[in-house]
């Protein structure tokens, strides 16, 4: 059978492979090369060695956006996972109308980042006006908190669904047996529920970690990086380096930043793969 | 003991009710503002319900649909999403079948590259991808689906491969012995078995494509074609005063179809999300 299928590669393999080369492979390799060049259009790229990387690693806005992103990612990961797990616990406790609640909490996840960003910009600016505080785009701290609220609103429902699936897969016998043995609810939670949903916890932790780290649309729509690049996260910083300025050097700098960004994301994902695999062995 | 438990669950119910009301409030806020006159929407009045003076009827919606180009943007978004998802589902399932059934170096390399492409952030190739698309003339809503097939192939192939491995080979071998060629085997035998995975992948890709902003923004010819996210961004980014009324109407008309589709196919969407999360 393998032989018969092998002959049909132009039908099965070629369309996707060709599109993949156009839509990913070629731009990726070209991007890698261009990070060592100075260019405005690709046809007229001039090789300039590690110049771009030197600039990227000393650029104050890039370093600031790195710390901003790192802090944001850590805080948002904790908030989302604690919130989502608490909701999942509440909704699996045989409550009235829990399906309705689940429907509502999950809903924001389907709305796109740009639209979400503007909805929350309008809402939060309204709240800030009522409190007689500066608007989102004028104060870095409010921009940070605003992004946190927005991301929690969007992602908690998603992670909650994954936690609910994890909690529901715990056999009822375990919990029944613990109850008969006189375990308190706290003990059931810490000794039975949490260890049994460890795979879900790993998945959710890393999903929110990568989502937070790669955040772009919401950042662009909610604060646009204002004031003066202070609320700019890595992805937006790269974008602004590319398209926000003119001059042959900026595109090269942007591409070098993008490569560094890509390496950071790959490292996070490698750790994720390790963590998920080691958890699978335990199960 | 029983009584204490029922009080506890009542408190929990009330708490959840309050949270869920807060959860839908942003959408409600957009709704009340979309009905207000443009000039009565400011940061200090966004929380007020429309009164007889500020009520604007449907004029914001009419304005958004006609002069602001929402109808076209909706059409383009729909066209791009439908063609791309269809192409991704067919091509990637075929590709995944080949990769799992033919054990060669090319299959292995391709599989590795597909998985790798899931990790790479879009910023890494945004500039080069846009210029490649431009050179090949893939910059209209009618053929941007080819770019999406290439860029979105990773997740789809990965999920299909994960499921393909669990299909017993015997069924396909029996079909081949009975005289099916590989194309018939795939479309008549494999594809029907794949249906649940097709739905899951389709939902994940639809959620991504419908909301995608940066790729179409960079690839499409901006003066001619706008998708919904680009239009909403354009409202804020354009010069002069932001027209809040039509913008609210646009946002509401963007959000409502999503909510309706979600309420109708909730079961599939949630299943798709769980499948995607566990695999991804």
């Amino acid at each position: 059978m393998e032989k018969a299928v092998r002959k049909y590669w132009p039908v099965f393999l070629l369309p996707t492979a060709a599109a993949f080369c156009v839509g990913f492979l070629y731009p990726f390799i070209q991007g890698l090369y261009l990070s060592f060049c100075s260019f405005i259009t690709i046809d007229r790229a001039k090789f300039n060695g590690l110049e771009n990387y030197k600039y990227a690693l000393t650029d104050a806005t890039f370093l600031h956006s790195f710390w901003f992103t790192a802090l944001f990612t850590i805080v948002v990961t904790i908030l989302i996972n604690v919130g989502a797990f608490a909701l999942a616990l509440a909704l699996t406790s045989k409550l009235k109308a829990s399906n309705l609640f689940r429907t509502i909490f999950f809903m924001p996840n389907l709305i796109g980042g740009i639209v979400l960003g503007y909805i929350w910009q309008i809402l939060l600016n309204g709240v800030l006006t009522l409190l007689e505080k500066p608007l989102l785009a004028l104060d870095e701290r409010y921009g940070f908190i605003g992004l946190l609220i927005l991301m929690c609103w969007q992602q908690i429902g998603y992670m909650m669904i994954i936690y609910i699936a994890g909690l529901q897969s715990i056999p009822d016998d375990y919990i029944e047996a613990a109850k008969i043995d006189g375990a308190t609810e706290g003990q059931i939670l810490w000794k039975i529920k949490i260890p049994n949903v460890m795979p879900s916890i790993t998945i959710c932790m890393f999903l929110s970690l990568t989502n937070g780290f790669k955040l772009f649309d919401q950042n662009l729509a909610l604060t646009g990086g204002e004031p003066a690049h202070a609320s700019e996260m890595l992805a937006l910083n790269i974008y602004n380096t590319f398209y926000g300025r003119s001059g042959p050097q900026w595109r090269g700098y942007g591409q070098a930043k993008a490569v560094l960004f890509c390496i950071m994301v790959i490292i996070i994902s490698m750790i994720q793969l390790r963590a998920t695999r080691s958890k699978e062995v335990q199960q | 003991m029983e009584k204490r438990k029922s009080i506890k669950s009542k408190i929990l119910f009330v708490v959840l009710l309050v949270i869920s009301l807060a959860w839908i409030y942003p959408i409600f806020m957009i709704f009340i503002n979309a009905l207000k006159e443009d000039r009565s929407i400011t940061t200090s009045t966004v929380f007020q319900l429309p009164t007889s003076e500020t009520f604007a009827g449907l004029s914001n919606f009419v304005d958004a649909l006609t002069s602001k180009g929402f109808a076209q943007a909706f059409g383009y978004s729909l066209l791009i999403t439908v063609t791309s998802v269809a192409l991704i589902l067919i091509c990637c399932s075929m590709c995944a079948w080949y990769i799992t059934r033919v054990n060669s170096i090319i299959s292995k390399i391709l599989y590795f590259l597909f998985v790798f492409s899931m990790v790479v952030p879009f910023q890494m190739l945004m500039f080069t991808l846009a210029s490649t698309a431009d050179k090949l003339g893939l910059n209209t809503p009618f053929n941007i689906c080819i770019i999406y097939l290439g860029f979105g192939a990773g997740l789809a192939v990965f999920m299909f491969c994960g499921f393909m491995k669990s299909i017993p080979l015997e069924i396909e071998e029996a079909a081949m012995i009975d005289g099916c060629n590989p194309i018939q085997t795939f479309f008549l035998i494999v594809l029907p078995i794949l249906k649940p995975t097709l739905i899951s992948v389709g939902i994940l890709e639809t959620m991504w494509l419908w909301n995608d902003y940066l790729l179409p923004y960079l690839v499409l010819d901006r003066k001619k074609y706008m998708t919904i996210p680009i239009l909403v961004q354009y409202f804020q980014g354009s010069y002069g005063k932001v027209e809040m009324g039509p913008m609210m109407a646009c946002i509401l008309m963007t959000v409502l179809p999503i909510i309706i589709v979600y309420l109708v196919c909730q079961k599939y969407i949630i299943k798709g999300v769980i499948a995607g999360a566990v695999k991804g």
Side-chain angles (χ1 to χ4, degrees), chain A residues 1-2 4-9 11-13 15-17 19-20 22-28 30-32 34 39-43 87 90-91 93 95-97 99 101-115 118-123 125-127 129-130 135 152-154 156-158 161-162 165 179 185 203 207 214 216-217 220-221 235-236 238-239 242-243 251 255 258-259 261-262 265-266 269 272, chain B residues 5 8-9 12-13 16-17 19-20 22-27 29-30 43-44 46-47 91-92 94-95 97-99 101-104 106 110 113-114 116-121 123-132 135-136 138 146-147 149-151 153-154 157 169 172-173 176 181-183 186 207 211-214 217-218 229 232-233 236-237 244 247-248 251 254-255 258-259 262-263 266 269-270 273-274 277-278 280:
Chain A
M1 184 181 130
E2 199 186 312
V5 180
R6 193 186 286 253
K7 264 189 284 178
Y8 279 81
W9 66 270
V11 183
F12 286 100
L13 209 58
T16 312
F20 185 67
V22 172
F24 178 80
L25 215 52
Y26 177 67
F28 180 81
Q30 200 175 28
L32 217 53
L34 285 177
F39 60 99
I40 293 180
T41 57
I42 290 175
D43 303 326
L87 282 180
L91 292 186
S93 64
L95 204 67
K96 260 184 290 174
N99 272 339
F101 288 134
R102 196 183 67 171
T103 305
I104 292 173
F105 292 139
F106 181 73
M107 188 191 61
N109 197 263
L110 300 167
I111 304 171
I114 292 284
V115 174
Y118 285 120
I119 293 177
W120 277 93
Q121 191 197 60
I122 295 161
L123 181 76
N125 276 339
V127 174
T129 311
L130 282 183
L135 296 184
C152 284
W153 189 64
Q154 186 188 17
I156 280 182
Y158 186 96
I161 294 287
I162 301 172
K179 272 185 188 159
E185 281 194 25
I203 290 167
L207 275 179
K214 293 202 276 188
F216 176 80
D217 288 5
L220 176 70
L236 186 59
I238 293 165
Y239 176 83
F242 255 106
Y243 296 101
R251 297 228 153 124
Q255 193 63 52
V259 172
F261 181 52
C262 185
V265 175
I266 289 174
S269 308
Q272 162 180 20
Chain B
K5 208 163 190 188
K8 222 169 136 190
S9 79
L12 191 63
F13 181 80
L16 283 173
L17 194 68
I19 301 176
S20 62
W23 224 251
I24 31 181
Y25 181 75
I27 313 272
M29 182 202 69
I30 297 298
T43 51
S44 49
V46 283
F47 300 117
C91 293
C92 291
M94 288 169 81
C95 180
W97 191 59
Y98 187 93
I99 287 179
R101 292 297 178 252
V102 176
N103 198 2
S104 68
I106 294 175
L110 264 177
L113 286 174
F114 282 130
F116 177 69
S117 79
M118 289 198 298
V119 179
V120 173
Q123 276 71 23
M124 173 66 204
L125 45 135
M126 61 179 178
F127 184 75
T128 42
L129 179 64
S131 77
T132 310
K135 264 184 208 152
L136 297 173
L138 297 173
I146 294 171
I147 297 287
L149 171 62
F151 193 68
V157 171
L169 259 175
E172 292 158 31
E173 271 166 359
M176 299 276 226
N181 64 34
I183 296 176
F186 180 77
M207 278 165 58
N211 293 321
D212 198 21
Y213 162 72
L214 197 53
Y217 177 75
L218 294 176
V232 174
Q233 168 69 12
Q236 285 275 333
M244 294 296 273
M247 178 171 162
M248 296 280 189
I251 292 182
T254 313
V255 172
I258 300 175
I259 295 179
Y262 168 53
L263 292 179
Q266 205 197 133
I269 292 180
I270 288 182
V273 163
I274 293 172
V278 174

Side-chain angles (χ1 to χ4, degrees), chain B residues 41-84:
Chain B
I41 309 169
T42 60
T43 51
S44 49
T45 59
V46 283
F47 300 117
Q48 289 164 11
L49 291 169
T51 61
S52 57
E53 283 154 46
T54 59
F55 185 68
L58 294 176
S59 67
N60 286 330
F61 293 91
V62 175
D63 191 23
L65 276 172
T66 53
S67 63
K68 299 292 179 294
F70 183 81
Q72 286 99 307
F74 193 89
Y76 286 136
S77 274
L78 201 63
L79 175 73
I80 292 173
T81 308
V82 170
T83 52
S84 306

Side-chain angles (χ1 to χ4, degrees), chain B residues 143-189:
Chain B
N143 53 22
I144 197 179
C145 53
I146 294 171
I147 297 287
Y148 269 120
L149 171 62
F151 193 68
L155 176 75
V157 171
F158 180 67
M159 282 186 70
F160 282 129
C161 280
F163 188 79
M164 252 10 133
K165 281 176 196 146
S166 66
I167 302 178
L169 259 175
E170 287 78 13
I171 303 174
E172 292 158 31
E173 271 166 359
M176 299 276 226
I177 290 167
D178 287 348
C180 281
N181 64 34
I183 296 176
Q184 286 169 322
T185 313
F186 180 77
F187 283 101
L188 298 175
I189 310 291

Side-chain angles (χ1 to χ4, degrees), chain A residues 5-64:
Chain A
V5 180
R6 193 186 286 253
K7 264 189 284 178
Y8 279 81
W9 66 270
V11 183
F12 286 100
L13 209 58
L14 195 61
T16 312
F20 185 67
C21 288
V22 172
F24 178 80
L25 215 52
Y26 177 67
F28 180 81
I29 293 167
Q30 200 175 28
L32 217 53
Y33 166 69
L34 285 177
S35 70
F36 300 101
C37 295
S38 146
F39 60 99
I40 293 180
T41 57
I42 290 175
D43 303 326
R44 271 188 274 159
K46 227 174 71 206
F47 190 80
N48 67 351
L50 290 171
E51 206 53 40
N52 295 330
Y53 288 94
K54 251 186 234 158
Y55 174 82
L57 288 171
T58 51
D59 178 18
T61 64
F62 188 62
L63 296 176
H64 178 273

